[in-house]
Amino acid sequence: MSNLKLFFTLIILHVHATQIFSQPILFSEYIGANFANVRFSDVPINPNLQFHFILSFAIDFTSGPSPKPTNGKFNVFWDAENLSPTQVLSIKRQHPNVKVALSIGGDTVSDKAVNFTAFSIDSWVSNAVSSLTSVIKQYHLDGIDIDYEHFHATPDIFAECIGRLVKSLKQNRVISFASIAPYDDGDVQRHYMALWRSYARVFDYVNFQFYAYDKGTTVGQFLSHFNAQLFNYQGGKVLVSFSTDSSGGLKPESGFFTACERLRSQRKLNGIFVWSADNSKANGFRYEREAQALLAKGQ
């Protein structure tokens, strides 16, 4: 290789490395599931971070008092009055570091478990790609999060349906990022780890629900849980998390930020996500401010 070619090769590598290491760390917040009249503009946004809002939820069930599976035809089940397409455009224009995603699945709808149900892989994927593309474009969204927690399908069928959906949305440039949101339950992990084995390459983040662990989790236990999930989802950017509702896990007032500092010292802190803005509104988003300040301090 000539000296000139070597020079330009080194320049390109330097620029690429700079882009990788200068990417802002991520803070994400789920919003809209509880219809608490919370708006994007209520939530504090640190301009020095990459910030994702995650609308909760789009669900492939019918609306109404007795919801039923629709085989991949998704409907909006978040607080669309306060979190409308106009509101999405507005918050993104005001804050260039903000992106907005939707989460699919969730725990329940009208007190009924949201079971992942596919009549066939091909039909579910076709319906899901079509219906979600429509919703994503209507709401000017950037990404998708996978949060099914109950299943009427085998892990392999779930993996193929979700993997093909996300791959198609990315290939069609409908979305720019994707995440999964598993938690430490045997059936949940079987489904998401099957998905990870086959389609890890199409996911950018693992929004692991660490708040699903027992109440009273200690800093040491939290770090052990984190390392276990880092092993389960090898190669993934596993985010740490806390909830501002009555869920379990390690709470901010009990050492969560201490755990974050320890992970940062080990270069394992990829970001923080919170469940959820609906619950945090009552206390003025105190812990969101603290979490973002901690992340920004390490930039």
Side-chain angles (χ1 to χ4, degrees):
M1 181 183 292
S2 69
N3 289 337
L4 187 60
K5 284 184 178 179
L6 178 60
F7 173 77
F8 283 115
T9 299
L10 290 173
I11 289 291
I12 291 167
L13 289 173
H14 173 74
V15 169
H16 181 61
T18 301
Q19 289 172 340
I20 290 172
F21 292 108
S22 64
Q23 287 180 345
I25 198 165
L26 178 62
F27 178 86
S28 296
E29 178 113 31
Y30 288 81
I31 188 169
N34 297 341
F35 289 78
N37 295 318
V38 63
R39 296 192 172 201
F40 299 119
S41 55
D42 295 331
V43 182
I45 297 170
N46 189 307
N48 299 314
L49 301 174
Q50 186 177 359
F51 193 111
H52 291 174
F53 282 109
I54 305 175
L55 292 163
S56 310
F57 294 93
I59 307 174
D60 53 334
F61 271 55
T62 57
S63 55
S66 183
K68 295 179 175 60
T70 59
N71 193 38
K73 296 177 182 178
F74 282 83
N75 293 303
V76 168
F77 282 87
W78 65 74
D79 183 0
E81 183 176 341
N82 289 294
L83 304 166
S84 66
T86 301
Q87 294 292 332
V88 172
L89 276 180
S90 177
I91 199 67
K92 288 166 69 172
R93 284 170 179 164
Q94 291 174 45
H95 299 276
N97 60 318
V98 167
K99 293 182 179 180
V100 185
L102 56 72
S103 185
I104 64 172
D107 183 17
T108 62
V109 56
S110 299
D111 297 321
K112 181 178 181 178
V114 176
N115 283 293
F116 176 83
T117 306
F119 300 165
S120 72
I121 293 173
D122 288 343
S123 65
W124 190 93
V125 171
S126 177
N127 289 337
V129 169
S130 175
S131 62
L132 285 171
T133 296
S134 177
V135 173
I136 289 166
K137 289 184 174 181
Q138 177 189 356
Y139 278 82
H140 317 288
L141 304 179
D142 307 287
I144 191 170
D145 175 68
I146 311 301
D147 191 23
Y148 283 100
E149 302 182 2
H150 311 281
F151 308 92
H152 280 170
T154 66
D156 287 342
I157 289 174
F158 174 73
E160 197 60 27
C161 287
I162 297 298
R164 284 171 56 180
L165 165 65
V166 175
K167 182 179 178 181
S168 179
L169 292 176
K170 279 197 163 183
Q171 286 180 339
N172 295 338
R173 298 185 178 181
V174 177
I175 60 170
S176 60
F177 66 90
S179 58
I180 57 172
Y183 62 96
D184 196 18
D185 168 87
D187 194 38
V188 170
Q189 290 280 60
R190 278 189 291 275
H191 283 78
Y192 280 92
M193 289 174 71
L195 173 60
W196 192 256
R197 281 192 298 271
S198 298
Y199 286 96
R201 64 192 179 278
V202 304
F203 292 101
D204 303 278
Y205 307 102
V206 178
N207 292 357
F208 199 86
Q209 298 182 45
F210 288 101
Y211 43 83
Y213 285 105
D214 292 341
K215 292 182 179 180
T217 295
T218 65
V219 170
Q221 289 170 333
F222 182 90
L223 295 172
S224 177
H225 295 327
F226 178 84
N227 286 324
Q229 303 313 324
L230 209 59
F231 177 81
N232 285 335
Y233 298 95
Q234 290 185 33
K237 287 187 176 179
V238 179
L239 305 189
V240 295
S241 59
F242 65 88
S243 72
T244 53
D245 64 6
S246 60
S247 301
L250 180 60
K251 293 291 190 181
E253 63 270 26
S254 302
F256 176 82
F257 297 119
T258 299
C260 288
E261 293 285 13
R262 291 192 189 173
L263 290 174
R264 177 156 58 193
S265 72
Q266 300 167 11
R267 299 190 175 184
K268 294 179 180 178
L269 184 62
N270 297 307
I272 296 171
F273 79 88
V274 180
W275 176 270
S276 68
D278 300 56
N279 306 108
S280 300
K281 185 178 179 181
N283 72 359
F285 303 96
R286 170 187 172 187
Y287 294 121
E288 280 83 349
R289 296 179 196 276
E290 192 170 347
Q292 290 179 64
L294 182 149
L295 292 175
K297 186 177 66 174
Q299 290 287 73

